Amino acid sequence: HRHLLGIEPLHPAEITTILDLAETYVEQNRSGDKHSDALRGLTQINMFFENSTRTQASFELAGKRLGADVMNMSMQTSSVKKGETLIDTALTLNAMHPDLLVVRHPHSGAVDLLAQKVNCAVLNAGDGRHEHPTQALLDALTIRRKKGRLHRLTIAICGDIAHSRVARSNLILLGKMENRVRLIGPPTLMPTGVAEFGCEVYDDMKKGLEGADVVMMLRLQKERMDGGFIPSEREYYHRYGLDAEKLAFAKDDAIVMHPGPMNRGVEIDGTIADDINRSVIQEQVEMGVAVRMAAMDLLARNLRAARAA
Ligand code: CP
């Protein structure tokens, strides 16, 4: 592939290749020398049109650890504020010969559109409610390491499914790898047509969590609710917040995941989020750097091969 725009176009074997390469970068990142040179000589530009802590920091570290020249565009102080369009901004940066463009944008499909206009590799760092492929890949690596496999697991994705690109990318990836995926959330936050992905849908946490190996919690994406129905946080926590009572319905060794940023006391009890015997939230962050190193390494190989041809 030339770009990483979503999980949708990836074959299961390609997902496994990314995760296997990421494993080597987990070791590198834990070692005394975090540097290698897969991206040496290449320029990586990060363009985040939406706030980020984890994704932006990990893409920056990933590029630096692989030897790229990394530039973070500050979109808040860029000429976008003077009315320059996304495409004109991208063409301007493209003229500076970047090799890797990492883009986050609030509009679904914006990153795909941008990828058609530039002649470098584009990585989707989250577009609207569409896809967040590197998040699903880092979640997959975390699950595989914790559960010893990435197939035939029962995985419950809980909360605001409708507005979540994390849920969408995970649903696609976990389905491709032949897991049993359950979506749990209030009907108002459940998208229509999810049944075609072959998943089960629940509006009751206890029923949906019964026997789950993995419990993945999601944040209420209020910024995407467009003046529509926003549940009261108190009521939401009572019915859908992960607490010890609800978690007891999952398997005894079920792991608890959250992509972050989390709202303690809204979708998850802080005690559970901090419980190192159940919560793998910090491991997810660690895997994020390794997975982004692997994704950029593989795209850079394709880029170099295409240029040499
Ligand atoms: N999980 C995730 O995408 O977090 P950030 O918004 O902080 O990047």
Side-chain angles (χ1 to χ4, degrees):
H1 298 270
R2 194 174 150 216
H3 307 294
L4 177 60
L5 301 175
I7 297 297
E8 190 87 65
L10 298 183
H11 189 273
E14 292 172 322
I15 293 170
T16 302
T17 298
I18 298 171
L19 301 188
D20 290 347
L21 181 59
E23 286 284 3
T24 69
Y25 286 125
V26 173
E27 295 311 312
Q28 179 175 314
N29 290 337
R30 287 181 179 181
S31 76
D33 183 1
K34 297 179 173 56
H35 288 104
S36 56
D37 58 7
L39 302 185
R40 200 158 64 89
L42 301 184
T43 298
Q44 172 190 339
I45 301 181
N46 298 333
M47 297 167 72
F48 280 67
F49 293 88
E50 224 184 39
N51 291 352
S52 171
T53 296
R54 282 146 285 269
T55 313
Q56 180 159 0
S58 58
F59 263 116
E60 182 176 355
L61 277 180
K64 287 180 171 166
R65 287 180 183 173
L66 292 178
D69 293 315
V70 185
M71 186 182 80
N72 286 307
M73 274 299 297
S74 168
M75 301 323 298
Q76 293 303 318
T77 55
S78 74
S79 288
V80 169
K81 293 284 166 200
K82 300 176 192 165
E84 191 164 39
T85 66
L86 167 69
I87 298 303
D88 285 337
T89 305
L91 290 175
T92 301
L93 293 173
N94 190 52
M96 300 181 197
H97 298 290
D99 302 288
L100 298 150
L101 217 46
V102 178
V103 188
R104 169 170 288 191
H105 200 279
H107 294 142
S108 308
V111 184
D112 290 46
L113 182 68
L114 184 148
Q116 294 164 25
K117 308 282 180 186
V118 296
N119 46 23
C120 60
V122 176
L123 293 100
N124 182 0
D127 64 323
R129 58 176 83 173
H130 176 226
E131 279 234 38
H132 193 350
T134 55
Q135 178 70 46
L137 288 163
L138 76 88
D139 289 338
L141 184 59
T142 308
I143 294 169
R144 195 174 79 165
R145 288 171 66 93
K146 288 288 170 185
K147 291 284 152 198
R149 67 182 198 274
L150 188 59
H151 59 275
R152 292 202 315 278
L153 292 166
T154 300
I155 298 165
I157 306 179
C158 315
D160 181 2
I161 311 289
H163 301 100
S164 176
R165 57 198 177 206
V166 175
R168 203 178 131 74
S169 289
N170 264 297
L171 181 57
I172 298 169
L173 188 154
L174 295 167
K176 280 180 193 275
M177 305 311 276
E178 300 190 0
N179 294 283
R180 184 175 176 186
V181 181
R182 298 179 183 166
L183 301 179
I184 315 174
T188 47
L189 297 177
M190 193 63 67
T192 51
V194 278
E196 74 193 44
F197 286 97
C199 54
E200 303 161 33
V201 177
Y202 295 85
D203 67 359
D204 182 295
M205 280 287 277
K206 290 175 183 171
K207 285 186 188 145
L209 290 180
E210 186 85 51
D213 296 292
V214 176
V215 181
M216 190 180 289
M217 302 308 299
L218 300 171
R219 181 175 65 86
L220 277 179
Q221 309 259 304
K222 288 184 182 170
E223 70 274 27
R224 291 188 224 293
M225 291 185 188
D226 311 328
F229 174 75
I230 299 181
S232 114
E233 290 188 355
R234 215 178 132 94
E235 174 71 8
Y236 185 83
Y237 181 68
H238 175 65
R239 293 198 57 191
Y240 296 100
L242 187 68
D243 56 16
E245 192 196 340
K246 297 188 192 87
L247 182 57
F249 283 79
K251 281 191 183 156
D252 289 345
D253 64 351
I255 57 169
V256 174
M257 307 181 76
H258 194 306
M262 67 180 149
N263 291 137
R264 292 167 183 260
V266 181
E267 72 271 5
I268 190 165
D269 172 33
T271 316
I272 289 177
D274 296 334
D275 180 354
I276 54 165
N277 295 314
R278 306 305 292 271
S279 165
V280 297
I281 294 170
Q282 299 309 322
E283 282 90 338
Q284 288 174 265
V285 177
E286 181 187 3
M287 294 309 120
V289 182
V291 152
R292 286 163 182 136
M293 290 168 84
M296 290 198 290
D297 179 347
L298 291 167
L299 286 179
R301 292 182 205 186
N302 295 344
L303 192 71
R304 287 190 163 117
R307 284 174 180 170

